[in-house]
């Protein structure tokens, strides 16, 4: 409103605002009605048949039986042969990364940091944001750019401004670890190489890094509380801790003071214990969780974002050191999710996509969640209303209810019988606008 800028008289400013409102208020958008053969609304325990969802100005206005009185003249989208769900939420993504397979990951990661300029990385991020939406993920929590600085903030802004298609995003920017606690590594000590995160040592540097990241647009701060994991000769897993408790507390204190939250990458061992002691809000991966740990997580209300599927991409041959480690990691990880569910730990869907290519289905995570003890409905709610709760967006996303963003997806088939149908999302709407409709319904 440039004409109003600098006006100090309240009365005059009010006149200006009123005049502008009259001049610029667009005509109300047409009403849309979606007919849903089956509706899974994100919070209810059961699905409902033959529902109609009324959408106005990008929001859900009402939900109810399809045979009730509906607004006249509405545009009707007939999904009466499909199952409609809230737009899905992936609470652990990396839009700035697109690693092909785990076996290539180490080399590809080095190439990404050493050979891909920021402009190239931003193109990847742009395509990844589109890819998320194509697959029905209308909201994501993007947990660090892996060396691409604050590019995620730029992608988020470009999406919000409508410059590029993409999901609602919460972003973590650079992430934080300690010296010796992140890639790139293994180069000659004389060679300076970039790091995939911001490195800090000591609570003063830790707090400063958190402040910098928050100042530059981080909605979350991500910390790495463990780095390398390996097997002992007896076959037990050990996990290298990174930040000290004192360093982590400086970060959580700062971030919580800003009213934001801290996501902790933690596999197990002392680093994971420090994460819980230091007040982190979500444990990412949580590969090795014992009974005492899950009990503490449940008591503290700490979220678990297990990211199972990424650990099944391209294992090394059985019997090789890497192959043995990968199989042990998957075995321990699955048992940890079962243990966490039994203890009542809050679980949010996260795929770690980017760690595997955005070309592959993000929704493959659902199958793993079900394999390790969740019902299909629990897994779906982990990717809808529960993930929304983690993101502080309850009622806004992850639910089909009055007042929520009109973010909707539809699939053929019944995801409560087979969660794999979620890998083939045929209809995507974000904020009331159809982004994709391969179900042929109109
Ligand atoms: Zn990750």
């Amino acid at each position: 409103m440039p004409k109003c800028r600098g006006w100090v008289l309240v009365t005059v400013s009010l006149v200006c605002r009123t005049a502008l409102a009259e001049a610029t208020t667009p005509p109300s958008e047409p009403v849309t009605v979606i007919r849903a053969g089956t509706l899974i609304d994100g919070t209810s325990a059961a699905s409902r048949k033959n529902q109609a969802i009324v959408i106005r100005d990008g929001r859900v206005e009402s939900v109810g039986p399809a045979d009730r009185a509906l607004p006249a003249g509405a545009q009707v989208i007939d999904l009466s042969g499909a199952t409609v769900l809230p737009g899905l939420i992936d609470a652990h993504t990396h839009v700035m990364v697109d690693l092909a397979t785990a076996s290539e990951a180490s080399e590809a990661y080095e190439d990404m940091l050493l050979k891909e300029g920021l402009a190239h990385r931003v193109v990847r991020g742009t395509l990844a944001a589109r890819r998320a939406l194509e697959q029905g993920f209308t909201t994501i929590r993007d947990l660090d750019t892996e060396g691409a600085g604050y590019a995620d903030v730029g992608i988020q802004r470009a999406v919000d401004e409508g410059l590029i298609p993409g999901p609602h995003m919460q972003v973590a920017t650079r992430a934080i670890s300690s010296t010796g606690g992140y890639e790139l590594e293994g180069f000659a000590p004389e060679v300076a190489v970039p790091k995939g995160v911001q490195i800090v040592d000591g609570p003063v540097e830790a707090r400063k890094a958190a402040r910098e990241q928050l100042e530059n647009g981080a909605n979350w701060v991500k910390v790495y509380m463990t780095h390398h994991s390996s097997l002992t000769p007896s076959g037990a897993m050990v996990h290298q801790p990174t930040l000290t408790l004192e360093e982590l507390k400086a970060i959580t204190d700062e971030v919580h003071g800003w009213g934001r939250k801290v996501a902790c990458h933690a596999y197990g061992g002392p680093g994971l214990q420090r994460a819980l002691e230091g007040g982190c809000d979500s444990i990412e991966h949580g590969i090795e969780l014992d009974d005492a740990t899950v009990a503490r997580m449940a008591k503290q209300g700490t979220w678990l974002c297990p990211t199972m599927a990424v650990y099944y991409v391209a294992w090394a041959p059985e019997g090789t050191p890497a192959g043995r480690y990968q199989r042990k990691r998957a075995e321990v990880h699955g048992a940890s999710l079962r243990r966490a569910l039994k203890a009542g730990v809050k679980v949010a869907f996260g795929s770690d996509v980017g760690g595997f290519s955005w070309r592959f289905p993000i929704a493959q995570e659902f199958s793993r969640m079900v394999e390790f003890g969740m019902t299909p409905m629990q897994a779906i709610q982990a990717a809808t209303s529960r993930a929304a709760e983690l993101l502080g967006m309850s009622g806004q996303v992850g639910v089909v209810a009055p007042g929520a963003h009109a973010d909707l997806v539809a699939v053929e088939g019944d995801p409560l019988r087979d969660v794999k149908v979620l890998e083939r999302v045929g209809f995507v709407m974000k904020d009331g606008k159809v982004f994709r409709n391969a179900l042929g319904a109109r």
Side-chain angles (χ1 to χ4, degrees), residues 92 94 222 285 352:
H92 189 132
H94 298 276
K222 162 108 176 263
H285 317 302
D352 214 356

Side-chain angles (χ1 to χ4, degrees), residues 328-352:
K328 175 73 176 180
R329 182 175 62 186
E331 177 197 320
V332 168
H333 198 187
S336 292
L337 178 55
R338 284 187 193 282
R339 203 170 283 127
L341 291 168
K342 212 169 146 199
V345 173
K346 298 185 289 188
V347 176
F349 179 105
S351 71
D352 214 356

Side-chain angles (χ1 to χ4, degrees), residues 178 202-203 225 241-251 274 278:
S178 54
M225 292 304 296
T242 53
L243 298 167
T244 64
L245 182 57
E246 201 187 9
E247 288 164 337
L248 176 62
K249 278 187 168 172
I251 293 168
R274 288 178 202 169

Side-chain angles (χ1 to χ4, degrees), residues 1-7 9-24:
M1 286 191 284
K3 279 185 186 164
C4 290
R5 197 170 293 150
W7 289 24
L9 287 173
V10 173
T11 46
V12 177
S13 151
L14 276 176
V15 169
C16 175
R17 247 184 255 146
T18 310
L20 267 169
E22 279 167 8
T24 58

Side-chain angles (χ1 to χ4, degrees), residues 92-94 142-144 146 182 222 224 265 284-285 307 310-311 351-355:
H92 189 132
T93 65
H94 298 276
D142 202 66
L143 286 184
D144 94 64
E146 307 284 355
Y182 213 73
K222 162 108 176 263
Y224 284 83
H265 167 113
E284 306 303 312
H285 317 302
T307 74
V310 70
Y311 294 108
S351 71
D352 214 356
V353 59

Side-chain angles (χ1 to χ4, degrees), residues 32-41 44 47-55 60-71 84 400-402 408:
T32 303
V33 170
I34 290 185
R35 291 187 179 277
T38 304
L39 174 67
I40 295 172
D41 70 8
S44 303
S47 59
R48 300 199 293 280
K49 294 284 180 198
N50 301 319
Q51 298 289 296
I53 304 155
V54 178
I55 292 156
V60 174
E61 187 174 80
S62 70
V63 185
D67 56 7
R68 72 188 193 280
L70 293 164
V84 175
V400 184
L408 299 163

